[in-house]
Amino acid sequence: GDRAIDHAIDIIAEAQDTYGRNALPNRFEHGGVVRPGQLERIAGAGIVLVPQPHFITEFGDGMARLLGPRRTAWSYPAKSLLEHGVVLPGSSDRPVSNGRPLDVMQSFVERLTPSGAVYGPDERITAAEALAAYTTGSAAATGTADVKGRLAPGYLADLVFLDQDPTAVRSADISATQVLATMVGGQVRFGADSFPAREHTADLSAALTGKETR
């Protein structure tokens, strides 16, 4: 709730004023209720707020009933975090909620409760923004933005291959996207039968990982 967030901001701001900022970002998990005025303080302190939008999909009707309409509009923010320049990561709080990233992406975009009501419509984000939350956003939230979160030379070759572009389909179809294969450190760990090894695979792995092969 917002009183706990006030308390946490005070503690982190005091610690940072005394000792400087951490090498890794300070984070708030959840963000069940965040008042608009708190977003400026969070941004100013460089704090990362980690919402779990799939709570809306699974528990949203009960949360809205307990919070009331005004505070529901402040609950599990996403768009307003981006507008204030706050890092937005993807998160599910698994096993409390379903942790499949593509399902959570759809929840970021739709924010629909089990009954189909829209929960905090002003906090909806685009599919591209939801994908960024699960890539560059999550890397930034864990202090690994220099090696993870994007396809670039020198970055870890951790990739996922999908059967469709989740940013180019109807929002209701994002969660229907299937994972064909995954690659970790340039090596296919799941779905190798769909992506058999080919000539020059070692050279490709080296290019993706930034490591030279001998």
Side-chain angles (χ1 to χ4, degrees):
D2 53 325
R3 179 179 290 184
I5 289 175
D6 276 332
H7 186 54
I9 294 173
D10 290 342
I11 291 172
I12 290 174
E14 180 182 350
Q16 290 183 163
D17 288 344
T18 304
Y19 303 107
R21 294 198 176 187
N22 279 341
L24 298 180
N26 289 299
R27 303 205 314 256
F28 293 163
E29 306 299 322
H30 301 307
V33 177
V34 185
R35 299 190 313 274
Q38 292 177 316
L39 294 172
E40 294 182 8
R41 295 190 66 201
I42 289 170
I47 297 167
V48 177
L49 193 148
V50 187
Q52 284 76 38
H54 206 63
F55 281 6
I56 296 168
T57 304
E58 297 191 359
F59 320 121
D61 290 317
M63 293 192 302
R65 184 174 62 254
L66 293 171
L67 290 175
R70 184 178 69 147
R71 298 175 78 79
T72 295
W74 301 342
S75 180
Y76 296 101
K79 188 67 173 180
S80 59
L81 295 179
L82 295 177
E83 291 173 344
H84 281 79
V86 178
V87 171
L88 174 64
S91 175
S92 66
D93 204 44
R94 194 174 192 166
V96 174
S97 176
N98 170 22
R100 185 172 183 264
L102 289 154
D103 293 358
V104 183
M105 279 182 57
Q106 182 167 320
S107 296
F108 262 133
V109 175
E110 294 191 317
R111 296 180 70 93
L112 296 178
T113 70
S115 70
V118 181
Y119 187 105
D122 290 343
E123 293 297 337
R124 282 172 157 170
I125 60 175
T126 67
E129 289 169 333
L131 179 62
Y134 259 107
T135 52
T136 54
S138 292
T142 55
T144 58
D146 58 334
V147 294
K148 293 182 180 180
R150 63 180 73 243
L151 299 178
Y155 279 60
L156 299 177
D158 297 344
L159 318 177
V160 61
F161 300 85
L162 306 175
D163 70 340
Q164 64 180 4
D165 180 355
T167 70
V169 299
R170 295 186 315 129
S171 60
D173 294 331
I174 294 174
S175 63
T177 307
Q178 296 299 307
V179 176
L180 302 178
T182 58
M183 179 183 286
V184 180
Q187 301 296 321
V188 177
R189 302 296 180 88
F190 164 75
D193 53 334
S194 300
F195 294 87
R198 301 189 182 194
E199 190 177 358
H200 306 306
T201 298
D203 293 336
L204 172 62
S205 177
L208 290 170
T209 60
K211 295 180 181 179
E212 188 175 330
T213 57
R214 299 292 183 185

